[in-house]
Amino acid sequence: MTANNTGMIILGGGVVKHHICNANLMRNGADYAVFVNTACDYDGSDAGAKPDEAISWGKIKLTANPVKVFGDASFIFPLLVAQTFAKYHQDLQDAACTQEQ
C-alpha cells in the first residue's frame, strides 16, 4: 500500500465499518472520514460511534476533519456524489470562462 493518504466513506455500520477502520489503524489513521448512518451513540454500538471514538483509537488521524451524517445512506449518499460532480463541473466552467477573458 503506497498511497500517501487514505479515506473512508462508511455507509451504515457493523462489521464492515469495524474492519475498514481497523485497516486504517494499521496505517496510523485515515486522513479523511465520512460516516453516514442512522445509528445513535447512546447504546454503545459500533455503528453509532462518532468519529471522535475512532480518533481516540488511532483509526482516524488527529489532523483529519471527520464528518458523521445522521441519515439514511440510500438517500444521503447519492446527494453527496451528485454534489461532488456538480462542483467539479462548475469548477471546469469557471476555469473555461476565465481563460476566455
Side-chain angles (χ1 to χ4, degrees):
M1 297 202 301
T2 60
N4 293 328
N5 297 308
T6 62
M8 303 182 286
I9 299 177
I10 308 290
L11 307 177
V15 175
V16 173
K17 178 182 176 187
H18 177 73
H19 286 293
I20 292 170
C21 288
N22 280 347
N24 279 284
L25 175 64
M26 303 306 164
R27 294 182 52 100
N28 297 318
D31 298 284
Y32 308 96
V34 178
F35 298 163
V36 180
N37 62 48
T38 58
C40 296
D41 62 343
Y42 68 86
D43 62 358
S45 69
D46 181 47
K50 294 180 181 175
D52 297 345
E53 179 74 17
I55 291 171
S56 72
W57 283 88
K59 297 174 182 180
I60 300 174
K61 290 183 179 177
L62 287 171
T63 56
N65 189 16
V67 176
K68 178 168 181 178
V69 180
F70 291 93
D72 186 85
S74 64
F75 177 73
I76 300 294
F77 187 65
L79 294 175
L80 292 173
V81 172
Q83 176 59 28
T84 301
F85 283 109
K87 183 177 181 337
Y88 176 74
H89 181 70
Q90 185 62 45
D91 289 347
L92 286 177
Q93 284 184 334
D94 291 347
C97 288
T98 303
Q99 288 178 356
E100 289 177 1
Q101 294 174 357

